[in-house]
Amino acid sequence: MTSAEYERERAEVEKTWAEKPGWLGQLMVVNHRTVALRYLVTTFVFFLLAGLMAAAMRLQLARADNDLIGPDLYNQLFSMHGSVMMFLFAVPVLEAMGIYLVPLMVGARNIAFPRLNAFSYWVFLFGGLMIFIAFALDIGPEAGWFSYVPLAGPEFSPGKRQDFWAQLITFTELSALIVSVEIIVTAFKLRTPGMTLKRIPLFVWAQVATAFMVLFAMPAVMLGSSFLISDRLVGTHFFNPAEGGDALLWQHLFWFFGHPEVYIIFVPALGIVSEIVAAFTRRAVFGYLPVVLSLLATAILSFGLWVHHMFTTGLPPAGMSFFTAASLLIAIPTGVQIFCWIATFATGGRLRFHTPLLFVVGFFFIFIIGGLTGVMVASATLDSQFHDSYFVVAHLHYVLIGGALFPLVGGIYYWFPKMTGRMLSERAGRWQFWLFFIGFNVTFFPMHILGIEGMTRRIYTYSASSGWEGLNQLATGGALMIAASVVVLIANIISSLRKARTAGDNPWDAPGLEWATSSPPPPSNFVRPLVVTSRTPLWVTPHPETVIGLPTGIRSVLVTRVHDAEPHHISVFPTPSIWPFLSAIAVTILFIGSIFTPWALVWGAVPVAIGLIGWFWPTKEETATHCKYEVKPPREAPPPSEPAELRL
Amino acid sequence: MHSALQPVGPRAELIADLMLLFFAVSAVVYVIVIAFLVWAIMRARERAVQLGPAATAQADRKSKVAVGVGAALTVLTLAGLAASDFIVGAILRQPPADPLRVLVTGHQFWWEIEYDDPVPGNRLRTANELHIPVGRPVQLIFTSRDVIHSFWIPSAMGKMDLIPGRTTNEIIQVSQPGTFTGQCAEFCGFQHSKMRLTLHARPAEEFDAWRQRQLAPAREPQTQEARRGQQVFMQSSCILCHSVQGTAAAATVAPDLTHIASRRTIAAGSLPNTPSALASWVLDPQRIKPGSRMPASRLPPDDLSALVAYLTSLQ
Amino acid sequence: MSTSGVRDVTGLPTYTFGHHSLMWWGTMGIIVIEGTVFVIAIGAYLYLRSLAQAWPIGAPPPDLTYGTLNTIILLLSAIPNQWTKKVAERENLKLVRIGLIVCLAFAVAFLVVRAFEFGSLNVHWDTNAYGSIVYALMVLHTTHLVTDVLDTIVLTVLMFTGPLEGKRFVDVSENSVYWWFVVGSWPFIYATVYWVPRLP
């Protein structure tokens, strides 16, 4: 093959995979990287808004008996802060990393079901806009991110505030469930030839474990929020003890989701840690199998812990002991991963201390504290003191910020060159790290003490006689440092985006497939899929084999077998389409309409059906193109055990 | 200062001891893990750029042992902590002998407290201030009239939720006299923040005397102004929610006021119980505790001062 | 461009049936999600029952006639459904059209009977928590019935009007897989709604 032929192939593939131009084209985008970047930017904006809400709460709590913010607004602020951070930031931002990276890391040209992917983003965006608009109109949620009944029920939360909360859940869970299916299918069926199960990057395994957790956890809260909204709107009695319902049913449904939720946030972050540790120690993470098994064990065990959020509800003691034991058990897989990373540091090559690694080291210092306080709140006996106090506020921020946000920011520094072709400033990165690291600990460490001294969560004020004022002032000061670190991050991103694209394909000399293509990658990610022969392909084979023979006139994606990633068939991927956007609008009308009348479920279903039919219905041209390239599967005989391939 | 680590009773002491054990073990674990991490990073900063395959294989063998030992130690530590939790839990669950029984009902945003007694006339109802005898275990039986609340006095006991449609219970036992503060720990709506309570532990005789005083019906007003205040009370909307034993006011929606003047605070710990605080509370509760269930009253100034005189006479 | 070896995949099929197809995986994803919803909803039913003094609360159990009739119709519909799947995988358009129409006839039958079922539950959603959870289960399953019927209608029309290509038969095949889920989940819901209230 000559290089002219290769260039022609590249041009054809790029043309086939190009998005449509114009503003309409923007609404039709199905490329996973574009969708992922949209997710990242949107979640980051939501993060900033929820962070500002936290700052407002910290200002209110800086002084005893402060009257800066009254209870009505304060209750909405913490309900929004929790709901937004969990549902509109932490979960989707890590999914967005998965949407961006999983296809690249497994060497695929797009994520499985790209139109659904686009749909999931629009649904997510509209759900997020809905809740912020509701908040701006003073109908934001007010019963916490956990919305316990009966407080959130029809009798004690009249008006529409809690209905918006319940529909926020419906929106975000729908989009999260869709993304999970895409990630599982991408990781299992779209892996490039040679990427056997034992060569899947750890980040991808983490995303797969997370996706399975989402599949089994999110249905519980969707059902719960449906029960809640029907109690509120059509007079059902699921949670009404006077008519045979039960207030604790909500807690079971919510925490059956809510506990895995923590791991849904933090397991993908563990995957980021593994990637960064490997790249900067120049050594594959020690203990691939134990780390993978730990990720999967965490996913499974996370479903056995939910009752530890209910230790003070007077459950039978045998149950409490079981859930204490299970909650302690989950520390083991996390411990194993930490030991494996330390072993990797100890036995790797020379460490290169760039900003991504700095954040990973910060992760160790903070997250381990969160893990250890997690062991404390897992004890049913101790939890009777810690529960719903500021100790838990400290614990959960150590786990979520230390365990998820630090790796995430490290991951942003790490993959930013791939996403944009530009490096972030190392100097600003160090400033940001130290501001964040110190600010974080100044903010949240004192909260452990406040909790032990009796400060309960979700209070808008406290009296001077409580003695909590000093530590609260300290915490507020720390919060301002965190805010400063976020400003540095934003400035760093903006100034980098103005510079030239000088990053190159693989600025960190990292081993993964995502570094084998240009920065940012071409529309099809890879002109030709690459064949891998190891867990660290770019370190082992700088010039890997490539796959040829994929039709260039259609969006052809190689589908491989689950266990050995041998080519099986070619899947023709969809082209850009406006229907995901239109369907998302129809779904939004249905969801928001049903806040006001249950009949929206009936008339709102009509546009949804139209949207979905329009989405599915093939056009003549499209079908004609497909037919031109169509190769029928072999009849009768099962698919060949030796795939149709040739080694040239 | 009131803290879970400054326990004032045997049960809270057990929990505090367990807490200290967990803190100590965690501190040791943290120092060890971080020390290994720092050691590993330091080592890695002065090494060849990349290890060869032979060196890596040898390192892998060592790492295997190290990670295995680490995992085993993790399991042992967790098992030890779990066992200590189970032991303390089992001790705390032993039913106490001859407890005093007190029913606590949660309301938005105050605590209804009723001392159980076989003789209905000896059942004592009060609000927001729990009085208990020193040394005697007290069984608190919880339920809620509206939403979920949680009862917590950090220096004396852990939390227990008050759940509508269910009853829960927990033992409290205090070994030294004193006043200890607590507050609602489960978010219960607008004024979750100002749903506070105080625990008054006093020697048994003092407690009995207090109980006898509280059982007596309300004192008849002695002064002219207090009598007028009583009329104001009986003719206003107060009696739709409040009760004063020995009068026609018998509603149970809001705290019992029979001995309101004997309490240290009003509005569930929001204000000190002084005449001026009482007056401003009656006049405009929403300013002090926005979202409180108590409506503002439009009393003319002399009616208000008469009412306050009456209320402060209810010793 | 690289100078190393290449692997040629020319001539691989552009679609496939069964568990190698992405459609199959997508369908399984939906089934896992919806199946979890059903399991949790049945769990909620049993949980509420465990708290109640008597079950059902304040109502006689649902009448058996229509529910049982519908169970039979649903189970029978599996036969044309499976047959349609088979002929779809042979890409026999004529037989697929016949199969889909027979499936739709069954669909109409059980949607009609389902309407009568709602009339024979002997309780309303707003009567008490028992009525609420019974309705929840029935509405959940009915939603799946309705969506799959609509899906089948769209496919049937497409099979008559086109435009067609080979992988549309994969859609028919996966529609059948999903139909199996709707049929297979019903006996559990039937047992819960109709027979659990009759347990001593």
Side-chain angles (χ1 to χ4, degrees):
Chain A
M1 151 140 356
T2 66
S3 107
E5 280 171 46
Y6 181 79
E7 285 310 318
R8 196 164 56 241
E9 184 180 335
R10 173 204 287 277
E12 276 173 19
V13 170
E14 280 198 17
K15 184 164 159 267
T16 303
W17 286 85
E19 296 290 338
K20 290 242 157 65
W23 64 270
L24 195 60
Q26 293 297 314
L27 301 180
M28 298 168 70
V29 166
V30 291
N31 181 297
H32 73 103
R33 285 179 291 104
T34 311
V35 172
L37 290 176
R38 286 177 182 178
Y39 259 114
L40 284 172
V41 171
T42 313
T43 52
F44 189 66
V45 170
F46 290 155
F47 165 78
L48 292 179
L49 292 171
L52 287 175
M53 291 172 175
M57 290 190 284
R58 280 309 333 156
L59 290 177
Q60 161 67 13
L61 291 178
R63 293 175 52 197
D65 296 313
N66 200 358
D67 54 6
L68 183 69
I69 296 173
D72 185 29
L73 181 57
Y74 191 90
N75 293 348
Q76 286 186 69
L77 283 175
F78 78 72
S79 302
M80 282 291 286
H81 172 76
S83 305
V84 171
M85 283 297 192
M86 294 301 253
F87 297 115
L88 296 178
F89 173 64
V91 173
V93 76
L94 287 155
E95 278 178 352
M97 295 298 276
I99 295 172
Y100 194 97
L101 291 168
V102 167
L104 280 172
M105 286 182 162
V106 303
R109 288 175 154 179
N110 202 344
I111 198 164
F113 314 119
R115 285 186 181 173
L116 268 178
N117 192 34
F119 174 74
S120 84
Y121 170 73
W122 296 119
V123 167
F124 167 78
L125 174 69
F126 296 151
L129 289 177
M130 174 201 73
I131 204 71
F132 276 101
I133 290 171
F135 175 75
L137 298 176
D138 198 24
I139 36 178
E142 57 176 350
W145 86 282
F146 48 95
S147 271
Y148 272 11
V149 291
L151 182 61
E155 194 182 345
F156 298 101
S157 293
K160 294 293 175 198
R161 288 179 169 184
Q162 285 313 115
D163 301 305
F164 280 103
W165 182 86
Q167 289 309 59
L168 170 71
I169 302 306
T170 316
F171 274 106
T172 53
E173 310 301 80
L174 176 61
S175 84
L177 284 165
I178 291 172
V179 173
S180 302
V181 173
E182 293 161 11
I183 284 183
I184 291 172
V185 179
T186 306
F188 281 162
K189 292 303 289 178
L190 300 186
R191 297 199 316 275
T192 205
M195 190 178 280
T196 59
L197 287 175
K198 283 165 140 182
R199 293 181 189 149
I200 296 180
L202 289 171
F203 177 78
V204 175
W205 271 122
Q207 286 280 344
V208 167
T210 305
F212 275 104
M213 280 191 276
V214 169
L215 288 193
F216 292 107
M218 300 249 173
V221 72
M222 276 190 96
L223 200 63
S225 66
S226 306
F227 286 178
L228 175 61
I229 205 166
S230 71
D231 267 16
R232 294 177 55 85
L233 296 179
V234 297
T236 54
H237 298 286
F238 293 105
F239 306 126
N240 177 5
E243 294 289 352
D246 180 41
L248 290 190
L249 173 61
W250 167 261
Q251 296 189 20
H252 283 294
L253 288 171
F254 187 79
W255 292 117
F256 186 79
F257 143 81
H259 200 82
E261 168 90 343
V262 176
Y263 294 91
I264 287 167
I265 291 166
F266 130 89
V267 164
L270 298 182
I272 295 178
V273 172
S274 285
E275 295 298 328
I276 293 177
V277 167
F280 291 95
T281 56
R282 289 214 50 126
R283 177 207 203 296
V285 168
F286 165 75
Y288 179 84
L289 192 61
V291 170
V292 171
L293 291 179
S294 294
L295 290 171
L296 300 179
T298 305
I300 294 166
L301 285 173
S302 72
F303 286 91
L305 315 183
W306 83 92
V307 170
H308 82 212
H309 295 266
M310 300 167 65
F311 276 155
T312 63
T313 57
L315 293 171
M320 309 245 280
S321 304
F322 172 85
F323 284 100
T324 290
S327 307
L328 293 173
L329 212 57
I330 203 160
I332 296 169
T334 311
V336 166
Q337 288 180 78
I338 289 176
F339 301 148
C340 285
W341 291 320
I342 293 179
T344 311
F345 282 124
T347 60
R350 183 186 298 159
L351 217 51
R352 295 175 298 166
F353 242 103
H354 294 289
T355 308
L357 187 65
L358 204 53
F359 275 93
V360 165
V361 174
F363 150 85
F364 281 96
F365 277 83
I366 294 172
F367 170 71
I368 295 175
I369 292 181
L372 290 167
T373 53
V375 168
M376 298 173 198
V377 297
S379 151
T381 315
L382 290 184
D383 192 53
S384 72
Q385 288 286 15
F386 294 141
H387 186 71
D388 273 336
S389 78
Y390 260 76
F391 190 90
V392 174
V393 178
H395 159 70
L396 78 91
H397 285 94
Y398 267 80
V399 169
L400 292 177
I401 295 186
L405 196 55
F406 268 77
L408 175 71
V409 177
I412 295 290
Y413 276 89
Y414 181 61
W415 282 296
F416 190 83
K418 181 51 62 184
M419 295 172 174
T420 65
R422 301 166 172 98
M423 305 295 287
L424 284 168
S425 154
E426 281 285 309
R427 196 156 145 246
R430 270 158 218 274
W431 270 97
Q432 194 219 334
F433 172 78
W434 287 109
L435 279 171
F436 195 11
F437 185 80
I438 297 170
F440 171 82
N441 284 293
V442 171
T443 307
F444 292 102
F445 198 84
M447 293 187 187
H448 292 111
I449 302 164
L450 284 170
I452 292 169
E453 288 180 352
M455 182 164 169
T456 51
R457 298 175 75 173
R458 300 160 188 137
I459 52 173
Y460 75 98
T461 189
Y462 52 90
S463 71
S465 63
S466 62
W468 301 331
E469 194 170 18
L471 289 175
N472 270 299
Q473 274 170 359
L474 189 61
T476 303
L480 297 177
M481 281 182 84
I482 299 178
S485 92
V486 175
V487 171
V488 173
L489 174 65
I490 295 172
N492 196 353
I493 290 175
I494 291 175
S495 77
S496 294
L497 286 178
R498 291 171 159 199
K499 291 186 189 133
R501 291 187 166 158
T502 55
D505 291 2
N506 190 0
W508 312 112
D509 191 18
L513 276 188
E514 76 270 30
W515 304 104
T517 184
S518 59
S519 304
S524 67
N525 287 349
F526 303 92
V527 177
R528 292 175 183 170
L530 304 169
V531 179
V532 301
T533 52
S534 92
R535 255 172 227 160
T536 49
L538 299 197
W539 286 344
V540 177
T541 33
H543 298 291
E545 282 187 335
T546 53
V547 173
I548 60 164
L550 290 171
T552 51
I554 44 169
R555 296 191 166 203
S556 45
V557 172
L558 191 60
V559 180
T560 54
R561 299 192 302 202
V562 176
H563 60 293
D564 59 2
E566 282 301 318
H568 182 272
H569 69 278
I570 292 162
S571 179
V572 183
F573 266 40
T575 48
S577 163
I578 193 69
W579 286 106
F581 176 75
L582 296 179
S583 300
I585 287 184
V587 164
T588 303
I589 292 170
L590 187 152
F591 285 172
I592 296 181
S594 65
I595 290 176
F596 298 95
T597 161
W599 288 105
L601 294 177
V602 180
W603 54 253
V606 177
V608 172
I610 293 172
L612 295 180
I613 292 170
W615 181 338
F616 167 77
W617 203 264
T619 63
K620 283 205 174 90
E621 307 84 70
E622 202 178 76
T623 308
T625 320
H626 290 179
C627 287
K628 200 170 96 191
Y629 290 96
E630 187 171 277
V631 178
K632 291 199 177 297
R635 283 288 168 81
E636 305 305 329
S641 54
E642 284 305 313
E645 64 173 59
L646 280 169
R647 213 168 261 265
L648 296 183
Chain B
M1 209 33 266
H2 305 293
S3 154
L5 285 176
Q6 289 166 341
V8 295
R11 301 171 59 85
E13 249 165 58
L14 262 178
I15 301 180
D17 290 345
L18 184 68
M19 200 182 284
L20 290 174
L21 173 74
F22 271 62
F23 286 165
V25 171
S26 298
V28 171
V29 169
Y30 188 74
V31 168
I32 293 176
V33 175
I34 291 296
F36 267 108
L37 175 73
V38 171
W39 167 79
I41 289 175
M42 287 308 179
R43 229 168 87 106
R45 298 192 77 164
E46 49 218 48
R47 203 186 281 121
V49 172
Q50 192 170 11
L51 293 184
T56 305
Q58 194 197 3
D60 272 6
R61 274 194 299 280
K62 278 191 199 161
S63 301
K64 214 178 265 177
V65 176
V67 171
V69 170
L73 287 176
T74 308
V75 173
L76 286 178
T77 311
L78 291 173
L81 292 177
S84 57
D85 169 72
F86 294 165
I87 292 167
V88 174
I91 297 172
L92 290 177
R93 276 194 297 274
Q94 280 167 359
D98 182 34
L100 181 70
R101 283 164 52 87
V102 179
L103 281 60
V104 180
T105 306
H107 296 260
Q108 281 180 324
F109 303 93
W110 62 283
W111 310 89
E112 179 184 346
I113 295 167
E114 185 179 348
Y115 290 78
D116 196 23
D117 198 285
V119 183
N122 285 349
R123 284 199 192 138
L124 164 63
R125 286 178 69 239
T126 179
N128 302 326
E129 294 183 10
L130 177 64
H131 292 251
I132 63 168
V134 165
R136 186 173 170 194
V138 179
Q139 182 170 37
L140 301 173
I141 298 147
F142 299 113
T143 191
S144 167
R145 191 73 75 79
D146 38 52
V147 302
I148 301 177
H149 305 274
S150 191
F151 188 96
W152 187 32
I153 300 168
S155 51
M157 62 180 280
K159 290 166 205 75
M160 184 50 72
D161 291 354
L162 292 73
I163 305 169
R166 286 175 174 252
T167 56
T168 52
N169 63 84
E170 182 62 69
I171 311 290
I172 185 170
Q173 190 176 350
V174 173
S175 46
Q176 64 190 70
T179 301
F180 312 102
T181 56
Q183 74 182 79
C184 177
E186 182 65 70
F187 179 64
C188 59
F190 244 66
Q191 278 301 340
H192 168 58
S193 309
K194 292 187 177 172
M195 185 166 167
R196 301 172 187 152
L197 72 148
T198 38
L199 172 71
H200 300 273
R202 44 184 74 192
E205 324 75 77
E206 262 184 60
F207 170 76
D208 289 335
W210 172 84
R211 193 172 177 178
Q212 287 312 314
R213 281 199 306 277
Q214 295 281 315
L215 277 169
R219 258 171 41 145
E220 279 303 311
Q222 303 294 311
T223 65
Q224 180 64 34
E225 191 170 29
R227 268 194 292 278
R228 212 173 73 73
Q230 187 180 30
Q231 283 173 3
V232 172
F233 184 82
M234 292 301 163
Q235 286 160 8
S236 74
S237 57
C238 306
I239 55 168
L240 294 177
C241 301
H242 292 283
S243 56
V244 176
Q245 304 300 323
T247 73
T252 58
V253 177
D256 185 303
L257 300 180
T258 312
H259 299 284
I260 173 77
S262 73
R263 303 212 272 263
R264 291 196 183 184
T265 62
I266 55 173
S270 305
L271 291 173
N273 192 358
T274 61
S276 65
L278 203 52
S280 56
W281 171 248
V282 170
L283 202 60
D284 193 0
Q286 299 302 323
R287 193 178 57 78
I288 293 155
K289 199 171 164 181
S292 151
R293 299 282 160 181
M294 178 150 153
S297 53
R298 305 241 171 274
L299 289 177
D302 7 327
D303 281 7
L304 181 65
S305 56
L307 179 65
V308 169
Y310 171 60
L311 292 174
T312 45
S313 78
L314 294 174
Q315 280 296 328
Chain C
M1 72 162 283
S2 67
T3 48
S4 55
V6 291
R7 199 183 268 212
D8 194 347
V9 296
T10 309
L12 279 187
T14 53
Y15 62 94
T16 188
F17 292 97
H19 73 273
H20 281 291
S21 88
L22 301 185
M23 275 300 288
W24 183 90
W25 282 78
T27 312
M28 284 302 137
I30 296 174
I31 289 177
V32 167
I33 294 166
E34 309 290 324
T36 309
V37 172
F38 282 142
V39 168
I40 294 171
I42 291 176
Y45 181 102
L46 298 175
Y47 175 85
L48 288 172
R49 179 176 180 266
S50 75
L51 296 178
Q53 304 288 333
W55 195 263
I57 302 174
D63 301 335
L64 283 173
T65 323
Y66 290 112
T68 312
L69 177 63
N70 228 357
T71 308
I72 295 167
I73 298 177
L74 263 173
L75 291 177
L76 285 178
S77 79
I79 298 169
N81 177 54
Q82 182 61 19
W83 184 76
T84 310
K85 184 173 190 298
K86 225 171 196 163
V87 293
E89 284 166 18
R90 280 193 228 125
E91 302 190 22
N92 187 327
L93 182 60
K94 219 164 131 190
L95 295 184
V96 165
R97 286 175 177 167
I98 295 171
L100 284 173
I101 286 185
V102 176
C103 286
L104 277 179
F106 272 93
V108 172
F110 54 63
L111 280 181
V112 170
V113 180
R114 179 53 55 88
F116 286 102
E117 266 192 84
F118 275 103
S120 61
L121 292 175
N122 295 326
V123 71
H124 281 283
W125 65 87
D126 56 356
T127 313
N128 53 40
Y130 161 74
S132 305
I133 192 70
V134 166
Y135 262 79
L137 284 170
M138 294 299 289
V139 167
L140 265 179
H141 191 260
T142 308
T143 310
H144 286 77
L145 277 183
V146 171
T147 47
D148 202 18
V149 167
L150 291 179
D151 203 24
T152 311
I153 291 174
V154 173
L155 271 177
T156 312
V157 175
L158 181 68
M159 285 296 140
F160 278 95
T161 65
L164 290 179
E165 59 179 300
K167 73 173 180 179
R168 295 295 152 226
F169 292 101
V170 181
D171 297 339
V172 177
S173 165
E174 293 310 322
N175 185 52
S176 294
V177 172
Y178 189 68
W179 188 246
W180 268 112
F181 166 67
V182 176
V183 171
S185 59
W186 173 248
F188 298 98
I189 293 170
Y190 170 70
T192 309
V193 168
Y194 288 90
W195 289 96
V196 171
R198 292 183 156 78
L199 290 178

